[in-house]
Amino acid sequence: MLAKFFGGGISSISRDTSEIMKGILAILIVLGHNSVLTNHIPGLFYYLYSFHVLIFFILPWFYTSKVSWHNTAKRSGKIWFWYFVFFVVQIVFYNLLFDTTFSPIEAVKAFFLGGHTLLKSVTGYMYLWFMPAFFFAMLVRDAYTIANKPSRIAMIFASIGIVAFFAFHAYTNYIAIIQGIFFAALGIVASQLTLPAKNSLRTLIVLLFIVCSVLMFVDATKEFIHPFMPFVAFFTLWSIIEFSEKYLGWLKGIGNLSLFIYLTHPLIFQLLLRVIPSRQLPQLAYGFIIFIFTVIISVIVSWCMQKTIKALPIINKYL
């Protein structure tokens, strides 16, 4: 495999490191969905979306897990269940507040095809695109895991081509199955690399991320740096967590709630915009206040949801 050419490092990620990384990413996703801040800070939205959501698709490729029909079915059921619940909630929320032209046919079409454009047309927001895209990406991961060596090599080279294609085409323009294939390709390419064992090399990765981050805010260079950001950011986060895991343990709880935080925070953000007045506050300060409250309330709501599910044996068994 290609990973042999990058040997001498760490090729799998620990559960604790994964949860901490998810915690960091969940907070960054809340930040990216805060339109008050992203509209006020030029380039912030484009920068965050160059890596934060994409790393969630890369992470599973560094887990060591057994593929089985039972595991695939349970994971798929969980994805589609929560996708359906929040799809319905979002449609109700959107139509009650803004729109009165609900179309059942368009809703069903958007639900099964996914994609940013279709989902926004019926729910008012794009964020649920993640769920069906993740479903398809994980199916590709399962197929890759059980494939023989020649098939894996073919998938690796196909993935390089797919990643190269999407370096020039926005994945947001496509439906869920195509998005899922792209995200799986990202994971396959990333999985051929390893985290260096030497701290000096990890430091270089962090420095590279800092340089790339600066260049992402420069119009002349951002388009060239953008395709590399998911990989550089992933290994940078991994390196930082490996350096200072004992100080970041509090993020594991947030990481464990990352799915529910992702699903609930846009609704909480919209509610906060309507109950926290912006009068006499600078936009930047107002945006940070909304951001902090969104994180806190999302964590609390997500924790309550998780506890409720665990208290219901029938639901907990399948979700």
Side-chain angles (χ1 to χ4, degrees), residues 12-13 26-27 29 37 55 66 70 73 80-81 105 113 129 146 160 187 217 224 229 273 276 281 283 289 300 311:
S12 62
I13 197 166
I27 293 171
I29 287 172
L37 288 177
I55 291 178
K66 183 179 180 181
H70 176 266
W80 285 97
F81 175 81
I105 295 176
L113 293 181
W129 68 266
I146 63 177
I160 293 171
F217 286 89
F224 299 100
M229 284 300 291
L273 287 179
I276 298 179
L281 275 176
Q283 279 293 97
I289 290 171
I300 294 172

Side-chain angles (χ1 to χ4, degrees), residues 175-250:
I175 60 175
I177 188 171
I178 297 175
Q179 290 178 340
I181 291 171
F182 165 57
F183 298 133
L186 279 179
I188 290 174
V189 172
S191 70
Q192 303 313 301
L193 306 173
T194 58
L195 181 70
K198 294 182 179 179
N199 287 339
S200 58
L201 293 177
R202 296 185 192 183
T203 302
L204 286 177
I205 291 175
V206 175
L207 291 175
L208 177 62
F209 174 72
I210 293 171
V211 172
C212 289
S213 295
V214 172
L215 294 176
M216 279 293 294
F217 286 89
V218 179
D219 288 339
T221 56
K222 65 181 183 181
E223 297 297 334
F224 299 100
I225 302 299
H226 187 275
F228 302 100
M229 284 300 291
F231 309 108
V232 177
F234 173 74
F235 286 102
T236 296
L237 277 179
W238 193 354
S239 298
I240 291 173
I241 294 168
E242 290 282 332
F243 277 137
S244 52
E245 185 171 337
K246 63 180 180 180
Y247 303 109
L248 301 174
W250 59 276

Side-chain angles (χ1 to χ4, degrees), residues 264-299:
T264 59
H265 81 271
L267 301 175
I268 293 169
F269 170 71
Q270 290 297 325
L271 178 63
L272 289 173
L273 287 179
R274 288 162 173 76
V275 299
I276 298 179
S278 61
R279 297 187 299 273
Q280 300 178 344
L281 275 176
Q283 279 293 97
L284 192 60
Y286 178 66
F288 273 111
I289 290 171
I290 295 291
F291 167 65
I292 291 169
F293 275 100
T294 303
V295 171
I296 293 172
I297 297 173
S298 297
V299 169

Side-chain angles (χ1 to χ4, degrees), residues 83 109-119 129 132 174-176 179:
Y83 175 44
K109 178 182 175 182
F111 180 79
F112 286 106
L113 293 181
H116 292 61
T117 303
L118 283 175
L119 285 170
W129 68 266
Y174 297 87
I175 60 175
Q179 290 178 340

Side-chain angles (χ1 to χ4, degrees), residues 70 73-83 85-86 131 256 259-260 305-306 308-310 312-319:
H70 176 266
K74 184 173 182 179
R75 182 192 66 229
S76 301
K78 180 178 180 179
I79 291 171
W80 285 97
F81 175 81
W82 289 116
Y83 175 44
V85 168
F86 279 88
M131 302 298 283
N256 187 251
L259 173 62
F260 292 138
M305 289 178 65
Q306 190 175 83
T308 301
I309 291 170
K310 289 183 177 180
L312 300 172
I314 296 178
I315 297 179
N316 188 45
K317 180 181 179 180
Y318 298 101
L319 300 178

